[in-house]
Amino acid sequence: MIMPEKNEANRKLDLTAAVEEGPYYKFGSPERKAIAGPGTYGSKLILEGRVLDTNGQPVPGAWLDFWHADGHGSYDNEDYNLRGHQYTDEDGRYSLETLRPGDYMMRSPHLHVKVRANEKSPILTTQLFFPGESKNTTDPLFEKLTVVDLKDTAQGQKATFDFVVERY
Ligand SMILES: [Fe+2]
């Protein structure tokens, strides 16, 4: 017998907060972990983390599709620069090599991403933000629950964020 209330109570982690897709998503991004083409403006950024289900279990083979603006706040809408998808490894880990996005108009710097545990599961669409950005206080889409942890390393800035998604 299925007891949804009980299953709900057994959840250990809240789903990652969704943030709207925005106007610049493009289907068909290439599968790759390094998404910045040569000469793209912006400082180096590594983003790493895991995809977990609501029980806290890592999700291997989860799909992540990233897209974002360059350091000037411009999107490549003609081609696929700063766009790419990848799948988590056997430990549910992903790693993205890219650049710090710039702000534009009302928007604080952010990375767009879609995440899905598997083909039967719903897609989570959200945006990741950066700590300490002045526009975080005024961007109407800013979400404090999706701010990355950020640190400086010898290899450049490293951000970390774990996604929690529905897994069917
Ligand atoms: Fe955006």
Side-chain angles (χ1 to χ4, degrees), residues 21-24 67-69 75 104 107 110 112 127:
E21 178 177 308
Y24 300 126
W67 74 103
H68 68 88
Y75 286 83
Y104 58 93
R107 302 305 322 280
H110 57 277
H112 293 270
Q127 302 183 19

Side-chain angles (χ1 to χ4, degrees), residues 83-148:
R83 298 171 186 270
H85 74 272
Q86 60 178 279
Y87 298 89
T88 54
D89 68 13
E90 62 273 16
D91 298 317
R93 295 190 177 279
Y94 72 91
S95 178
L96 180 73
E97 188 179 325
T98 190
L99 304 170
R100 273 291 289 263
D103 63 339
Y104 58 93
M105 299 187 284
M106 299 280 287
R107 302 305 322 280
S108 200
H110 57 277
L111 304 171
H112 293 270
V113 59
K114 289 178 178 284
V115 187
R116 185 167 63 174
N118 56 51
E119 290 188 358
K120 294 178 196 153
S121 299
I123 293 174
L124 167 80
T125 300
T126 192
Q127 302 183 19
L128 302 182
F129 296 88
F130 297 88
E133 289 285 346
S134 59
K135 286 191 178 179
N136 285 351
T137 56
T138 53
D139 183 340
L141 299 183
F142 175 71
E143 170 56 70
K144 66 179 187 301
L145 297 174
T146 59
V147 174
V148 299

